[in-house]
Amino acid sequence: MGKMKCITMASLLIFSLVVINIHHVVHGDTNITVTFLESAISKGAVCLDGSAPAYSYVEGYGNGSHSWIVYLVGGGWCNHISDCRARSNSRLGSSHLMASQTTFSGILDLNCTSNPDFCNWHKVFIYYCDGSSFMSDIEHSHSKTNLTFRGARIFNVMMDEMLAKGMRNAQSAILTGTSAGGLATILHCDKFRKLFSDEIRVKCISDSGFFIHGKGHHGYKNREKFFGDVIKTHKLVKSLPPTCTSKRKSSLCFFPEYLVEDIQTPLFVLESAFDRFQLSSLVLEATNCTNNLKSCNPTELGIMRDFRTTFIKTLERRIHNSPNRGLFVHSCYLHDHVLKSDEWTCLTLANRTMRQAVADWYFDRSSFREIDTKSDSPKNCTNSFCQ
C-alpha cells in the first residue's frame, strides 16, 4: 500500500511542473488569454471540484491555417476517493488553482526557426483536471465528497468547442499528449479520428504514455492493482475499449500494450526505455537511486535493465512494423518530451532529431521506427541536447 501512495503523491508533485496556466499563456512577449469554458458546466463537463475546464488556443495562419494540433496535458491519476479529494485541492483537480503563466514550446512552439513544420498551426492546449486521462463519466457527484468524475465529458466539449472554432475544416490534425495525456491520446485516438472525414490526414502522437503492465517483471502486480484502482474509482469499465475488455479483465485495459493493436489511426510513440516516471513510481520505490543515478546499487540497476528489456520487447511485440506506426525510443533517464524544446529539437536517433522523425512520419516523407538497443544502462541526459 505504501507504494501505491507513493505513486499518487508523485503524480501531484512531479506533474504539477508540467501542468500550466489558466490565466495567461506566455510566448516571448505574447500573452495568450486562457479560456475557462463556463458553458461546459451546464453539460456536466467539469473538473473534480466542479469548476469549469479550461484550454489555451493559438490561431493558425498561412499554410497552417487548416492544420490543428490538440495537446492533452498529463499529471498522473487518482486511484482512491481520498486521493481524488486531495487532487481536487490542487491545479490537477481544479481550474481555480491552476498556474497563471506558461510557455508554448516544443511541438507547440510558435517560432518557425525551431519548429518549422508546426509553428503556424492552430494549437489547442487542454488542461487536465479529472485524474482519469479524460475517461471518466459518472452521472452523479460523489455523495460524501461532492467530487465529480467527468473527464470524458471534458474531452467531448473541448472537441465540440474546437470544431466550432474551425477544426471541422481541418485538412491536417494531430492529437498528442504527455504522460497521462499520452495515455489519453492512445485511448481517444480513434475517437479523435472520427471527427474528420476519411480524406483528412489525422494521426496521433503519444509522448511518455506507454505505461507497461510487464507481466512477470518487478512490480507488475502493484502496477495492475494501481490502474485497477483507477478504473474502479472512476468507474471506467464501460468507457474502456470493448476490444480489450472482451478479451481480458478490465484492470488490464489501461495498459497500452493491450490497446494499441486495435487502434486503426496512425500512431507514433515517443518513449525512453528508462522512463523516469515509470521507474521511480511504478517499478522501484522512490529512493536515492531514482533521484540520482549515481546512487543506484547493483540490484537497482539490474531492475532498471530488466525493465528496459521488458519495455522494448513489449513495444516490438505490440507495435507492428508498419508505416502507420512510428517509434522513437531512446535511453535517457527522462519522462515527457514534446514540450521540452531541447529534446524536441535536438534529441537524436538514427541521425534524426525527434522533431524531424515525427514530422517526416506525419507528412509521409519517410517512416521512422528506431529503438536505442545499444545502451543497457540509463543515461543521465541533464545537459542541453543542443550544446
Side-chain angles (χ1 to χ4, degrees):
M1 292 300 295
K3 182 155 189 158
M4 296 303 103
K5 195 65 174 177
C6 167
I7 292 171
T8 53
M9 290 301 100
S11 301
L12 291 173
L13 293 172
I14 295 173
F15 291 95
S16 64
L17 299 175
V18 178
V19 177
I20 48 186
N21 99 350
I22 271 316
H23 301 300
H24 292 84
V25 175
V26 179
H27 177 81
D29 295 324
T30 305
N31 291 334
I32 304 165
T33 302
V34 173
T35 299
F36 295 87
L37 196 57
E38 300 292 343
S39 61
I41 295 176
S42 63
K43 301 173 184 177
V46 292
C47 301
L48 285 169
D49 71 336
S51 57
Y55 67 89
S56 300
Y57 168 68
V58 175
E59 186 175 1
Y61 64 93
N63 62 8
S65 60
H66 290 95
S67 300
W68 289 70
I69 295 177
V70 176
Y71 178 85
L72 304 176
V73 175
W77 313 266
C78 53
N79 65 325
H80 292 292
I81 292 298
S82 59
D83 191 17
C84 293
R85 181 165 52 190
R87 190 182 183 94
S88 71
N89 293 315
S90 78
R91 65 184 68 182
L92 294 172
S94 172
S95 63
H96 297 316
L97 300 172
M98 295 181 184
S100 61
Q101 292 185 334
T102 191
T103 57
F104 268 20
S105 55
I107 197 171
L108 300 182
D109 200 331
L110 307 181
N111 187 317
C112 290
T113 300
S114 55
N115 190 33
D117 295 288
F118 306 111
C119 61
N120 60 352
W121 286 34
H122 297 267
K123 298 181 179 71
V124 186
F125 188 103
I126 300 177
Y127 296 87
Y128 182 42
C129 62
D130 62 272
S132 70
S133 285
F134 298 92
M135 288 293 288
S136 55
D137 190 2
I138 300 176
E139 181 65 31
H140 300 291
S141 58
H142 188 260
S143 59
K144 294 182 179 179
T145 63
N146 207 34
L147 294 173
T148 47
F149 299 88
R150 307 278 176 73
R153 296 193 196 185
I154 292 173
F155 182 86
N156 290 340
V157 298
M158 289 297 179
M159 295 305 103
D160 289 343
E161 178 81 352
M162 295 311 124
L163 290 169
K165 279 186 173 292
M167 193 171 73
R168 66 177 74 254
N169 300 314
Q171 296 299 311
S172 302
I174 292 173
L175 179 67
T176 186
T178 294
S179 194
L183 175 57
T185 296
I186 292 171
L187 288 162
H188 289 285
C189 185
D190 281 344
K191 182 178 181 179
F192 182 73
R193 208 278 163 252
K194 291 177 182 178
L195 297 174
F196 307 92
S197 57
D198 291 344
E199 70 273 12
I200 305 306
R201 178 186 280 126
V202 181
K203 300 187 180 184
C204 301
I205 303 166
S206 173
D207 172 21
S208 304
F210 205 97
F211 299 93
I212 65 166
H213 180 214
K215 186 175 181 180
H217 180 266
H218 186 86
Y220 81 93
K221 291 183 178 178
N222 285 334
R223 291 192 291 278
E224 184 177 332
K225 183 182 186 307
F226 175 75
F227 283 115
D229 287 341
V230 172
I231 291 168
K232 181 180 179 180
T233 298
H234 295 267
K235 298 183 180 180
L236 297 182
V237 173
K238 68 181 187 302
S239 302
L240 295 170
T243 51
C244 179
T245 56
S246 64
K247 301 173 188 175
R248 52 187 64 87
K249 54 186 178 180
S250 60
S251 61
L252 298 179
C253 291
F254 231 47
F255 291 110
E257 66 204 75
Y258 304 122
L259 303 171
V260 290
E261 289 179 313
D262 295 311
I263 293 174
Q264 301 301 305
T265 308
L267 173 68
F268 198 109
V269 172
L270 300 169
E271 285 288 346
S272 168
F274 294 99
D275 183 277
R276 182 166 187 154
F277 177 73
Q278 293 196 58
L279 284 170
S280 63
S281 296
L282 301 173
V283 178
L284 291 165
E285 297 281 354
T287 65
N288 289 335
C289 169
T290 57
N291 292 320
N292 181 0
L293 293 176
K294 293 180 180 179
S295 300
C296 297
N297 61 42
T299 299
E300 291 167 325
L301 285 174
I303 291 171
M304 287 183 167
R305 291 188 180 107
D306 288 345
F307 172 83
R308 168 191 173 272
T309 299
T310 302
F311 190 77
I312 290 175
K313 286 181 177 179
T314 301
L315 288 172
E316 291 178 334
R317 184 172 68 253
R318 300 292 183 175
I319 298 181
H320 298 150
N321 192 357
S322 161
N324 283 337
R325 295 290 184 260
L327 276 177
F328 188 110
V329 184
H330 60 88
S331 298
C332 292
Y333 186 55
L334 297 170
H335 182 74
D336 67 70
H337 309 92
V338 296
L339 294 192
K340 294 181 177 177
S341 293
D342 281 357
E343 293 172 31
W344 175 245
T345 57
C346 298
L347 182 55
T348 302
L349 271 179
N351 297 317
R352 270 189 276 184
T353 65
M354 183 176 290
R355 177 189 65 76
Q356 292 168 336
V358 169
D360 286 347
W361 171 83
Y362 179 80
F363 291 107
D364 299 317
R365 297 191 289 245
S366 66
S367 60
F368 195 89
R369 183 185 176 92
E370 293 292 335
I371 300 174
D372 178 7
T373 57
K374 297 179 181 179
S375 302
D376 67 350
S377 295
K379 296 179 181 178
N380 187 1
C381 303
T382 55
N383 294 325
S384 172
F385 293 99
C386 299
Q387 289 180 348

